[in-house]
């Protein structure tokens, strides 16, 4: 084995900055020519693998090390995955967006805003909005038939892998979803969540096939990811973040297909397993003996929070290799090359490590022909791709199947009825002998129903052209399918196809090549992609031409819209001067104004989050009317005329709000219908903000109104903000609203407020005071999309740096505990469960470190509640907080206390009490 850590593979803030930022994901291209990484700098970076694996190439910088930097995301990139075809790259970020990238052969040059040079240009093909929080993992189905994305909104979204339209949204998880994978046949999809379960979904109807909970009952909820992987023969899933012995032994759980049980554990890591990744090959323990179940095995790699990587063979109880102290922080992602001999590992310390093996080290790799023979022997025929679809072309495969073939997704396979007991990882004992695991997608007699594409889901497509819909090839006529491929020809193609349902064939091994002649030929500065070369074949060109003709014939006529038939004129944004009483609509109220009136501009605009739709307000400088326009894809969808100039507007995915100078507010739907009566505030609106169905209005008289547009009701009666700005030179910097109707008012005094209707009082969410001594103040860290963290970041920006002063002995401890308590209450008020949980666990750790037993007991009792709680009794205690069960949170708090030197016995006693109470409730 050869090990290397290329120092030049790194993410950083700018070209001059040398500080490494965390790398959250790494994935190797199917042809092995490049890897993609995603990091904290909100960028996707693509690197050549030749300089990594060959020292001569690294010294000569031929081909260049860095190929491209992609910077369309606005938040840290948490996952990157190449399509099996190698044609597209998908990335997911905490900006809630999945982005699809495609290579632009004509585009290259300088990276905007830096001195970096893009050797090649990957352009955004399509932007896939739909998640409401961070996108943590994505996966392509075999043949790129589907793309699945999961996130911290607890949802799983399935997209069509061909048209990139949204097909289905699965919302049955009760916690953050942090891992997803497909089985090699494409029959099932597996997802893993913080709700301590792995769910198996059928790809035919997206129904729930099974749910596995046992290995994860005591697993910690503090891991960044729960990335799981399916073995290449489809027999097992290896899931991360599992535990044995009541949570004290960290393991990876091996789940058996069909039975969906987990009787096998991979034990050895000293901390939580973060990611599992199977080698894409079936291996032969002895290549000279026949292919049989006893002679085949799989290889899986594990990355954990103990900073080590382990590699396991399925027929062995001990790991083949354990690499310790490879990184300074936890492992975030693993990726095997297609030849099965190179493993890439990424860590949050900002580095990437590469393990390069010989075939003998992995107990003999099976030849590709033998592997295809094994799959064909047991009934597996890989599904082909749609007609005219170049994205699905096999990468680097000379004998690629014709692009004009397709089979629909496989029918449901009946649940396994065998009750064979497990005899080892990868084998099943039946009557004392071994049974070969038959991996076959069986046909169903039921009529197949194609999934309905939810094309009305808003998405901002850039350059994606329409693709002809898949053609079903299930019906056979005289032994030939609907596209003219005979059964014998199809089996012949299957025998030559790439292993395990992947649409790319393996690239030649990268070891032993000359630095100047391979992976680029005579053009040393180029790194070709095999799948793009295949796309220019005559068959593909013919298919593309056919699809283009279909588009011309079936192109719909543009529908008529209100104002869409007139030319849109560009308007220069400038302030309209007041002339006499023309714009002074309410002169009698000027003296009572708390906030200054906003200026009247010629043009105001607001963009709808997650789309390219824009709401505009146009004020005339003369006697012309005031116009309101809603523009989608450069076409005016509707317009309206108002009697008073527009001074503020806001647009959410649910509605549009327009405030005028006479104190009126008009609320429209996205089709231009007035969905609420015109509101009269009594004075012009100084600040306006919308979020989902919530609308905030703050008038110049200092009256705050928060309205639920969906239910057409107020969250609380209008309140005054006078008390927030009663100090000299104190002003309101911003006013926003949360989806639950809670306002967030940031003042120049360094304090951020919200209003609690139950207390009928303003409450402090955060203030600059905590920065004076709290150890967990995040104001100086990188900005975060979480609401409380962003509030602290804004406070830090507006405040100055205080001079260091001598503090009392308990200063930092007191401010840290007070800050965490305030942060939990703020997260509760703003309905931010993730931040509440993070603050709670930090609070528990601080209490444990200090050994404050009284505080620990009070926290435990508050979360545990009455022993025999029933609805209707003890109304002062609620079993949930911010949508999470308090006793589930208590389990994690007790795990923190159990690791303390002073609170261990207290934690163990309460763990027993909690377990007994749970058993009593279940009976």
């Amino acid at each position: 084995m050869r090990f290397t850590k290329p120092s030049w593979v790194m993410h950083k803030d700018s070209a001059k900055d040398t500080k490494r930022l965390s790398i959250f994901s790494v994935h190797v291209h199917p042809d092995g020519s490049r890897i993609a990484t995603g990091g904290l700098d909100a960028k996707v970076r693509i690197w050549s693998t030749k300089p990594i694996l060959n020292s001569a190439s690294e010294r000569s910088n031929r081909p260049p090390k860095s190929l491209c930097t992609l910077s369309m995301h606005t938040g840290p990139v948490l996952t990157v995955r190449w399509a099996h075809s190698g044609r597209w790259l998908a990335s997911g970020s905490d900006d809630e967006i999945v982005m699809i990238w495609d290579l632009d052969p004509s585009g290259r040059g300088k990276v905007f805003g830096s001195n970096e040079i893009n050797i090649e240009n990957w352009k955004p093909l399509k932007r896939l909005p739909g998640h409401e929080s961070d996108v943590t993992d994505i996966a392509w189905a075999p043949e790129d038939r589907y793309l699945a994305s999961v996130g911290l909104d607890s949802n799983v979204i399935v997209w069509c892998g061909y048209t990139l339209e949204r097909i289905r949204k699965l919302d049955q998880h009760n916690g953050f979803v942090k891992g997803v994978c497909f089985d090699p046949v494409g029959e099932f999809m597996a997802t893993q969540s913080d709700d301590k379960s792995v769910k198996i979904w059928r790809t035919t109807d997206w129904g729930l096939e099974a749910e596995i909970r046992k290995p994860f009952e005591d697993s910690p909820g503090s891991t960044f990811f729960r990335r799981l992987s399916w073995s290449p023969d489809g027999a097992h899933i290896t899931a991360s973040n599992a535990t044995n012995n009541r949570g004290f032994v960290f393991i990876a759980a091996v789940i058996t297909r069909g039975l969906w049980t987990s009787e096998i554990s991979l034990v050895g890591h000293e901390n939580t397993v973060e990611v599992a990744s199977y080698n894409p090959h079936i291996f032969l323990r002895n290549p000279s003996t026949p292919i049989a179940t006893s002679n085949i095995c799989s290889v899986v790699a594990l990355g954990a929070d103990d900073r080590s990587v382990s590699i396991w063979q399925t027929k062995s109880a001990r790991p083949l290799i354990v690499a310790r102290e490879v990184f300074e922080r936890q492992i975030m992602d693993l990726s095997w090359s297609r030849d099965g001999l190179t493993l890439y590992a990424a860590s949050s310390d900002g580095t990437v490590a590469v393990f390069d093996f010989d075939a003998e080290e992995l107990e003999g790799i099976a030849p590709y022909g033998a592997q295809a023979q094994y799959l064909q022997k047991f009934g597996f025929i890989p599904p082909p791709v749609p007609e005219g679809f170049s994205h699905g072309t096999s990468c680097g495969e000379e004998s690629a199947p014709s692009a004009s073939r397709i089979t629909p997704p496989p029918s449901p396979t009946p649940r396994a009825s065998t009750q064979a007991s497990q005899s080892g990882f990868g084998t099943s004992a039946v009557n004392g002998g071994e049974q070969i695991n038959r991996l076959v997608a069986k046909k169903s007699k039921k009529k197949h129903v194609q999934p309905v594409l939810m094309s009305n889901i808003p998405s901002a497509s850039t350059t994606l052209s329409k693709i002809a819909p898949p053609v079903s090839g299930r019906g056979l006529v005289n032994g030939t399918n609907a596209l003219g491929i005979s059964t014998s020809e199809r089996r012949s193609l299957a025998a030559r196809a790439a292993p395990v349902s992947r649409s790319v064939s393996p690239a030649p091994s990268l070891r032993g090549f000359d630095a100047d002649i391979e992976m680029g030929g005579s053009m040393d500065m180029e790194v070709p992609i095999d799948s793009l070369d295949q796309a220019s074949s005559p068959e593909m060109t013919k298919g593309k031409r056919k699809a283009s003709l279909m588009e011309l014939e079936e192109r719909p006529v543009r529908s008529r819209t209100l104002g869409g038939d007139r030319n849109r004129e560009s308007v220069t944004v400038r302030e309209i001067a007041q002339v006499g009483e023309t714009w002074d609509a309410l002169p009698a109220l000027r003296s009572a104004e708390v906030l200054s009136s906003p200026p009247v501009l010629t043009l105001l605009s607001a963009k709808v989050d997650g789309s390219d739709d824009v709401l505009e307000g146009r004020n005339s400088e003369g006697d012309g009317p005031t116009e309101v326009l809603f523009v989608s894809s450069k076409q005016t969808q509707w317009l309206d005329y108002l009697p008073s100039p527009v001074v503020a507007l806001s647009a959410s995915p649910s509605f549009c709000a327009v405030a005028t100078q006479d104190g009126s507010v008009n609320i429209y739907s996205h089709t231009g219908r007035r969905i609420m009566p015109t509101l009269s505030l009594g004075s012009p609106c100084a600040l306006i903000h919308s979020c989902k169905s919530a609308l905030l209005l703050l008038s110049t008289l200092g009256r705050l109104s928060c309205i639920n547009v969906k239910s057409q009701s107020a969250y609380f009666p209008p309140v005054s903000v006078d008390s927030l700005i009663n100090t000299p030179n104190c002003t309101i910097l911003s006013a926003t609203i949360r989806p639950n109707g809670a306002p967030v008012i940031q003042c120049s005094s360094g304090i951020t407020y919200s209003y609690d209707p139950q207390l009928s009082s303003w409450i402090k969410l955060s203030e600059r005071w905590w920065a004076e001594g709290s150890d967990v103040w995040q104001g100086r860290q990188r900005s975060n999309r979480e609401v409380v963290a962003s509030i602290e970041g804004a406070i830090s920006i507006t405040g100055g740096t205080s001079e260091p002063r001598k503090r009392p002995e308990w200063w930092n401890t007191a401010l840290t505990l007070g800050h965490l308590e305030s942060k939990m209450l703020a997260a509760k008020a703003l309905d931010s469960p993730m931040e509440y949980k993070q603050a709670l666990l930090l609070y528990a750790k601080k209490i444990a470190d200090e050994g404050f037993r009284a505080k620990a007991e009070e926290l435990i009792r508050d979360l545990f509640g009455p022993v025999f709680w029933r609805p209707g009794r003890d109304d002062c205690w609620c079993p949930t907080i911010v949508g999470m069960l308090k006793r589930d949170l208590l389990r994690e708090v007790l795990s923190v206390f159990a690791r303390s030197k002073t609170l261990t016995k207290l934690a163990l006693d309460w763990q027993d009490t909690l377990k007994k109470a749970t058993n009593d409730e279940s009976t």
Side-chain angles (χ1 to χ4, degrees), residues 754-768:
S754 185
Y755 186 80
D756 191 331
Q758 291 183 333
L759 299 175
S760 297
S761 174
W762 289 100
I763 60 174
K764 290 184 179 181
L765 295 175
S766 189
E767 54 185 320
R768 196 176 298 140

Side-chain angles (χ1 to χ4, degrees), residues 778-921:
Q778 296 182 341
R780 297 299 180 188
Q781 295 185 8
R782 186 179 175 86
S783 60
N784 197 305
R785 289 186 62 86
E786 296 296 334
V787 57
V788 180
S790 64
I791 288 173
E792 293 184 357
I795 290 175
S796 180
I797 291 172
T798 58
T801 304
S802 60
E803 297 181 0
R805 289 179 289 177
K806 186 177 181 180
R807 301 294 189 184
E809 179 184 356
W810 292 94
W811 176 266
N812 288 88
T813 302
L815 261 68
T816 300
L817 290 174
H819 178 216
L820 287 171
E821 290 164 354
S822 175
K823 195 169 184 178
M824 284 190 288
L825 294 171
K828 178 183 176 182
L830 302 180
D831 194 21
S832 180
M834 181 178 179
E835 289 187 294
Y836 182 88
K837 186 175 180 179
Q838 290 174 344
L840 174 65
L841 296 179
L842 286 173
Y843 183 66
K845 187 177 185 303
K846 186 65 176 179
I847 292 175
D849 292 343
E850 298 292 341
F852 295 151
R853 185 181 180 90
K855 285 182 179 288
E857 288 180 340
E858 185 177 20
L859 176 63
I860 290 171
R861 287 191 170 89
D862 181 55
L863 293 174
F864 186 84
V867 177
F868 299 106
W869 180 85
R870 293 290 184 273
R873 306 182 193 173
D874 302 305
D875 291 335
C876 61
W877 185 81
C878 179
T880 62
I881 187 167
V882 208
M884 297 181 291
L885 289 173
K886 287 184 177 179
R887 291 186 177 179
D888 286 347
L889 295 174
L890 177 59
R891 287 188 179 89
E892 300 194 33
V893 169
L894 293 175
S895 297
V896 174
F897 288 163
R899 293 191 287 268
S900 169
K901 296 180 180 179
T902 57
L903 303 178
T904 303
K905 187 177 184 306
L906 175 69
L908 295 177
D909 292 343
W910 275 100
Q911 282 178 340
D912 292 338
T913 304
L914 182 60
K915 186 174 182 180
K916 291 177 183 177
T918 303
N919 294 335
D920 291 341
E921 288 180 358

Side-chain angles (χ1 to χ4, degrees), residues 60 66 132 282 402 596 615 684:
S60 65
S66 176
E132 298 175 3
I282 297 171
S402 170
S596 59
L615 176 67

Side-chain angles (χ1 to χ4, degrees), residues 94-375:
D94 78 346
D95 62 6
E96 306 173 6
I97 297 299
V98 175
M99 194 79 75
I100 307 298
W101 307 87
D102 192 12
L103 181 63
D104 181 6
S106 62
R108 60 177 65 187
K110 200 170 182 179
V111 179
F112 180 76
S114 73
N115 295 325
E116 299 178 44
I117 301 296
N118 277 344
I119 303 301
E120 59 190 27
N121 181 44
W122 289 80
K123 61 184 179 182
L125 179 69
K126 193 164 186 180
R127 184 174 178 269
L128 306 180
H131 284 281
E132 298 175 3
S133 190
D134 306 8
V135 179
T136 55
D137 204 9
I138 49 184
W140 293 91
E143 294 293 329
D144 299 326
R145 192 170 298 274
Y146 303 110
L147 173 67
S149 59
V150 300
L152 299 187
D153 57 359
S154 304
N155 292 328
V156 182
I157 299 181
V158 183
W159 316 83
C160 176
Y162 305 145
T163 64
L164 300 178
E165 295 288 343
R166 183 165 132 179
I167 294 176
R168 187 65 62 91
K169 182 177 181 179
L170 309 174
D171 57 0
Q172 296 184 36
H173 276 293
N174 296 319
F176 306 143
V177 189
K178 296 181 177 179
V180 60
C181 66
F182 285 91
D183 83 65
V185 179
E187 195 171 7
F188 296 112
M189 177 181 72
T191 56
Q192 188 169 1
S193 165
D194 273 358
D195 63 7
K196 301 185 178 179
S197 73
V198 168
K199 294 184 186 292
I200 311 297
W201 312 86
R202 296 183 297 272
T203 60
T204 49
D205 58 1
W206 301 110
L208 185 62
E209 174 76 7
E211 183 179 57
I212 302 95
R213 285 189 171 273
K214 185 177 179 181
F216 316 103
E217 290 175 347
D218 299 308
S219 65
S222 56
T223 56
F224 215 88
F225 300 111
R226 290 175 180 252
R227 286 175 167 157
L228 67 173
S229 182
W230 214 304
S231 63
D233 60 355
H236 300 93
I237 307 169
T238 295
S240 59
N241 202 358
T243 57
N244 280 343
N245 195 17
R246 297 169 58 188
F248 292 100
V249 178
F250 300 101
I251 66 167
V254 181
I255 301 168
T256 304
R257 182 193 184 96
L259 298 176
W260 308 120
T261 57
S262 177
E263 305 297 335
I264 305 168
S265 303
L266 304 182
V267 184
H269 283 282
E270 298 176 357
N271 208 329
T272 313
V273 177
E274 194 94 23
V275 56
S277 179
Y278 269 97
N279 190 298
H281 284 272
I282 297 171
F283 285 80
L284 295 180
R285 302 189 71 185
N286 184 356
S288 62
T289 59
I291 301 174
T293 303
S294 58
N295 193 31
I296 68 167
C297 61
S298 299
V299 171
V300 63
L302 305 179
D305 287 352
D306 61 2
R307 301 174 294 165
S308 64
V309 176
S310 62
I311 299 176
W312 304 71
Q313 186 202 81
T314 58
K315 295 296 178 66
S316 176
R318 294 172 179 256
L320 293 175
I321 297 169
V322 177
R324 299 187 185 278
E325 305 298 330
V326 175
F327 298 102
E328 296 178 2
R329 297 177 67 182
Q330 69 265 41
I331 286 85
M332 290 297 189
D333 204 5
L334 298 169
S335 179
W336 288 93
S337 62
R338 286 291 297 147
D339 63 8
L341 299 178
T342 307
L343 175 66
Y344 297 84
S347 169
S348 60
D349 66 4
T351 61
V352 169
V354 185
F355 304 87
D356 200 24
F357 300 95
D358 294 325
E360 295 75 14
E361 293 177 293
L362 300 178
E363 300 296 332
I365 187 170
Y368 286 98
Q371 200 160 343
Q373 178 187 356
Y374 169 80
L375 295 169

Side-chain angles (χ1 to χ4, degrees), residues 562 615 628 630 637-640 654-658 666-678 709 712:
L562 179 61
L615 176 67
V628 178
F630 189 78
Q637 297 299 316
W638 56 267
L639 61 83
D640 195 15
S654 302
F655 65 90
C656 304
V658 180
N666 293 274
I667 300 175
Y668 303 88
S669 69
H670 281 196
T671 60
R673 292 175 54 247
R674 282 181 169 82
I675 54 178
M676 285 186 65
T678 300
V709 174
Q712 299 196 11

Side-chain angles (χ1 to χ4, degrees), residues 490-781:
R490 185 169 53 171
R491 290 177 178 171
S492 176
L493 289 172
R496 303 195 304 268
V500 199
S501 177
R502 308 278 179 154
S503 63
V504 293
S505 65
S509 175
L510 299 180
R511 55 202 43 72
F513 50 70
D514 181 78
D516 296 327
I517 60 174
E518 292 202 21
M519 292 183 65
S522 59
M523 298 293 290
D524 296 285
M525 300 300 289
E526 299 291 339
V527 186
I529 300 178
D530 297 340
S531 61
L532 302 186
D533 298 335
Q534 289 277 333
S536 59
S537 62
E539 293 83 356
M540 300 312 301
T541 306
K542 182 179 179 181
K544 287 182 178 178
R545 187 179 297 116
K546 186 183 296 182
S548 300
L549 291 174
M550 291 177 62
E551 287 181 17
L552 293 174
E553 293 172 0
E554 300 177 3
R555 183 174 297 170
V557 179
R558 190 172 70 175
S559 60
R560 179 175 170 80
T561 61
L562 179 61
D565 55 348
R566 71 172 191 175
N567 295 327
R568 294 184 62 223
E569 300 177 357
S570 59
V571 177
T572 303
V573 181
R574 58 176 175 268
E575 185 175 351
I576 299 176
Q578 297 184 10
V579 180
E581 297 293 323
T582 305
W583 303 115
D584 202 3
L586 301 169
L589 298 176
R590 294 297 182 195
S591 60
E593 285 187 344
V594 175
L595 304 174
S596 59
S597 298
V600 179
L601 304 176
T602 55
L603 176 66
L604 297 91
S605 63
K607 188 176 179 180
V608 179
D609 290 340
S611 73
D612 286 338
D613 299 342
V614 179
L615 176 67
E616 293 183 354
R618 300 189 176 205
N619 297 316
S620 174
E621 296 186 77
D623 297 331
T626 297
E627 295 182 347
V628 178
L629 301 91
F630 189 78
V631 182
S632 178
S633 300
K634 299 183 180 180
Q635 181 184 7
T636 301
Q637 297 299 316
W638 56 267
L639 61 83
D640 195 15
Y641 301 99
L642 299 176
S644 180
V646 176
V647 293
L649 47 77
S650 182
S652 80
S654 302
F655 65 90
C656 304
V658 180
T660 55
Q661 197 185 37
D662 62 0
S664 300
V665 178
N666 293 274
I667 300 175
Y668 303 88
S669 69
H670 281 196
T671 60
R673 292 175 54 247
R674 282 181 169 82
I675 54 178
M676 285 186 65
T678 300
L679 306 178
S680 182
L681 303 182
S683 65
C685 184
L687 293 170
I688 186 172
H689 183 257
S690 60
C691 182
K692 294 187 178 180
S693 297
L695 173 65
L696 176 144
L697 302 169
L698 182 58
S699 70
T700 56
L701 295 180
R703 303 290 288 177
L704 176 72
S705 300
C706 293
I707 299 168
N708 187 332
V709 174
K710 186 175 182 179
S711 64
Q712 299 196 11
S713 60
Y715 289 103
F716 49 83
V719 295
S720 174
V721 298
D722 290 349
S723 60
L724 308 184
I725 52 176
N726 55 7
T727 57
N729 301 322
C730 182
T731 58
I732 293 179
L733 301 179
S734 67
T736 58
I737 193 169
R738 293 283 293 162
N740 66 339
V744 180
I745 311 295
Q746 182 189 355
C747 299
S748 59
S749 60
I751 305 175
T752 302
Y753 298 91
S754 185
Y755 186 80
D756 191 331
Q758 291 183 333
L759 299 175
S760 297
S761 174
W762 289 100
I763 60 174
K764 290 184 179 181
L765 295 175
S766 189
E767 54 185 320
R768 196 176 298 140
W769 166 253
W770 303 122
E772 297 292 328
S774 173
D775 296 334
V776 293
W777 176 260
Q778 296 182 341
R780 297 299 180 188
Q781 295 185 8

